[in-house]
Amino acid sequence: MSSRIILVRHGESEGNAAGVLQGRLDFALSELGRRQAGLTAERLAKSGAYQVISSPLLRASATAALVAERLGLTLRLDPDLAEYDIGDASGLSPAELRDRFPEVIQARAAGQRLRFPGEEGRDTFQRRLELILARMAGAEGTTIAVAHGGVISAMCHMVVGLDVNRPGAFQVGNCSLTELRPDRAGSLVIHRHNDTCHLAEIATFADRG
């Protein structure tokens, strides 16, 4: 039996609802996020997964806890699934970001990757995602990994060979499912992306970071 990876973005968080950049700040799920997580747990009930792993950040681990409970599995936290650390930009709205760091915003608009103070760095981010992807791809059976929009988007970029700094190529909605499987040569490919069919009965919103 080959590996199968189901990437789940966490449910809507209080930070999502407030429209701020979260990074490593630890926001809880909103009421909508808890409903999304419950529906996602039901959707994955027959996935046949043998393990559920999650980012340790609360918005992800609370989502994953519902999934693991529904599947009768023990949740395991993995720090390599944590969201990209945007440093001092964490907790700011887009307007606040422009006011506080105009030089960074201007540089990025010009195609330059100037860092926010305290930012993790994209090379470091990519290396840790390569490690967790390799571990999941090397496991037999189905792994459910609950993470963040930035993490899942970057993994998709890596799988198809795009630069992880390229914005907008993969949008990842709250509690969406993205599935990776190996092809005949053993390389991971995207089997489905941003699947939110299980959320059709409730109102959902575009990804806000």
Side-chain angles (χ1 to χ4, degrees):
M1 182 170 56
S2 63
S3 61
R4 174 181 177 227
I5 303 167
I6 301 176
L7 302 171
V8 183
R9 188 184 175 204
H10 60 79
E12 183 192 70
S13 69
E14 293 174 350
N16 290 144
V20 301
L21 300 174
Q22 297 177 101
R24 295 286 180 84
L25 294 183
D26 218 1
F27 290 96
L29 292 176
S30 67
E31 180 180 351
L32 174 60
R34 290 189 291 272
R35 292 179 63 198
Q36 291 171 332
L39 290 170
T40 303
E42 288 301 318
R43 173 80 184 275
L44 294 171
K46 297 181 180 180
S47 63
Y50 82 97
Q51 67 170 347
V52 179
I53 61 177
S54 172
S55 157
L57 294 174
L58 181 58
R59 56 193 184 271
S61 62
T63 301
L66 290 176
V67 174
E69 180 181 17
R70 182 64 180 83
L71 272 65
L73 298 172
T74 299
L75 174 62
R76 180 170 61 84
L77 303 182
D78 193 317
D80 283 343
L81 287 170
E83 181 61 292
Y84 181 70
D85 190 347
I86 54 176
D88 291 355
S90 302
L92 301 181
S93 69
E96 291 170 331
L97 200 67
R98 290 191 295 271
D99 288 343
R100 193 170 301 184
F101 302 108
E103 69 287 350
V104 178
I105 301 304
Q106 291 167 9
R108 294 192 175 189
Q112 303 169 24
R113 187 75 196 188
L114 189 63
R115 291 188 189 184
F116 295 106
E119 188 175 337
E120 178 178 3
R122 302 299 288 186
D123 290 343
T124 301
F125 181 52
Q126 182 168 345
R127 283 195 295 271
R128 68 175 168 90
L129 294 190
E130 287 172 345
L131 290 173
I132 184 67
L133 267 178
R135 291 198 298 273
M136 292 190 293
E140 290 292 319
T142 298
T143 295
I144 294 173
V146 183
H148 306 268
V151 168
I152 297 170
S153 176
M155 285 183 174
C156 289
H157 280 76
M158 292 160 60
V159 166
V160 301
L162 292 176
D163 184 348
V164 296
N165 293 317
R166 179 179 176 179
F170 293 95
Q171 297 299 310
V172 185
N174 289 119
C175 273
S176 64
L177 309 181
T178 295
E179 184 174 339
L180 309 179
R181 295 186 184 183
D183 62 14
R184 293 181 179 179
S187 299
L188 286 177
V189 297
I190 299 174
H191 184 72
R192 57 177 163 153
H193 172 63
N194 203 30
D195 177 357
T196 57
C197 293
H198 52 293
L199 305 179
E201 67 181 68
I202 61 174
T204 56
F205 303 91
D207 175 38
R208 290 185 286 186

